[in-house]
Amino acid sequence: MIKRLLKLLFVGVIVLCGTAMRAFAQKAVTLNDTSTHHPFAYDEILHFEDASGKLTFDQIRSPAIASKFLISGLYPTTHDAHTTYWCRITINHNKATQNNWLLEFYDQTIDDITVYSPNVNNGFTISRFGSSHPFTNRLYQHKNFSVNIDNELYGVHTYYIRIRSHQPSNVIVVLKSVNWFIHYALDEYFFFGVFYGMLLVFGLYNLMMFFAIRQIQYLYYILYNLSIGMYEMCTDGIAYQYLWPNSPVWNQYAYGVALFFASVFGMLFTKSLLYVKAKAPTLNRLIWVVIALRTIFFILCLTVNNAWFNYRIIEFIPLLLACYTGYYVLNKGYWPARFFVVGYSFLFLGFIIKILESRAWLGFGPLTHYSLSFCFIMEMLFISFAIAEKVRILKKKKDYAQRRIIRQMKQNEELKDNLNKHLEEQVRARTHELVEKSQVIEEQNEELKSVNILLKEQAEEISRINVLLENDNITLHTNIEKVTHDRVMSAAVDFEEFSKIYPDRETCFKFLSDLKWEKGYTCRKCGNTHYGNGHLPYSRRCSKCGYEESVIAYTILQNTRIPINKAFYMIFLMYSTKGKISSHKLSEIVAIRQSTCWAYSTRIKKIMDDKKKQLSNAGSKGWSMLVIDDSEE
């Protein structure tokens, strides 16, 4: 037991000694005119995490807390939105320096930075800035946070930095001379001008291509580039400086909105450029699923917790999906996909470098800091190659189709010429034949003239005879109609003879109208006896209530699809045979299906049974009594 206590005590002493060594082993940075800038790293900047967020500046300076400041690798990083991070740097103010110096912070996403700078009065000057403060409050109107160092202060002095941020950030502090700061800022803004200018040029180029070709892929690519540009402006601080300098709240989620649209439009552009729907249907459905899930996560970030925008690692999902889709389509033989794969490989590399830098696993420098922007430019360049390759393939197909059309038109022209030549030969032969026949006809016309004179004399005699015959024909026709009607109504005749009396629908309707209203018209709705013509042939419309009654309503022909003259003939046959003719015979006579003839003949038989007494002495007109179906009233 005692040995265990001694061991624990020994370990505790070692830890305390190590902590003390780390606390007091901080290296001071000396102001030196031979060096224009110096990033604080490793043992030059120490940090302390205040989980409660309530410690004051005096408490931080106390020996109890001062000994807890630790070395944090390349540079400190923040990872908890509820924790206050304190950093400490030591600067040796050299009297020999002739430059004016300042401290600059490279990460523009930090919400709040408070710098406690020592002054000549043995006190501290407090400077506050950050992305949650109005842009106009900054000492220098520059995208980075900066604070001046008192040039009249000499000796070794300690600076304290208090940091709070809602998203993970890197505390990269750089000591710079003012001259170098101005020179570096001008070069940096020139680089930004080139970068965003290229984004604008690529956007305008694709906009013109969209209006020229009317392919949706160009519109997707324009929106994708604009989203990438907005994300870069948010992370660089350019957006805060120029777009919303008086609205710090936009800094909380503008980068998340830009990333969302970049992911969505990037995947939509991938679908359109690579013909994913046709070449990889499974990947096409997967892309739609990823877009839907990304949209749901975006809505949750806006409505539930804006801090969820910090999970930028999820952007690897659409990025990897786009890369794999390009590789898959390339293996299918679609060559424009090779530029797409190379471009997105650069983008993937840029994200990897940015993650390593944000985790302090990679040293900070211009190459690493602007690596993602460079990769974006390379990605846009190769994507432009992919679009140009696609246009070239489309143009090649179009030229091939045009050549085929021209070749076909030439063949059509040759066929037309051959056909016209053949027709001309036929016309010449036919013309020669007509000339010969016209001579024969001319000779015959001479003969016909003499014959016509004779015929004219005969025509006059024939006209006189025709007048006499016409009178006889009128009398004979009247007698024939009467005899035919009587024969049809008194004996079994075929349908052809029956049709002479009822040849068409109009004749049948007129017969029905005379039969139905032979005793006068009475409205079935209101009893009115006055009427007008209806919309259908021979229908009658009540002049009082407007009720229109068709000529077949309330007759055996109502709701019957059989042609009306055949229906008349079937009624006549049933009546003349006293219902003994079979449905098979009816079907054979009227050329209608047996089942239809059976149904209709059954209906006629029923009416014949109901009117048996009336039909007993009806004679030849008895079949017409079957037409009016009293059961329908």
Side-chain angles (χ1 to χ4, degrees), residues 46-50 55-58 60 69 84-88 114 116 160-163:
L46 304 181
H47 84 285
F48 169 72
E49 297 183 8
D50 176 15
L55 294 178
T56 64
F57 176 56
D58 292 334
I60 291 297
F69 277 79
T84 300
Y85 295 85
W86 290 86
C87 295
R88 189 176 69 191
T114 305
Y116 296 87
Y160 291 88
I161 305 167
R162 181 181 181 274
I163 296 173

Side-chain angles (χ1 to χ4, degrees), residues 87-106:
C87 295
R88 189 176 69 191
I89 60 176
T90 302
I91 300 177
N92 182 12
H93 293 253
N94 190 351
K95 293 183 179 181
T97 181
Q98 300 297 320
N99 289 328
N100 293 321
W101 298 86
L102 54 79
L103 294 176
E104 184 179 12
F105 297 80
Y106 276 175

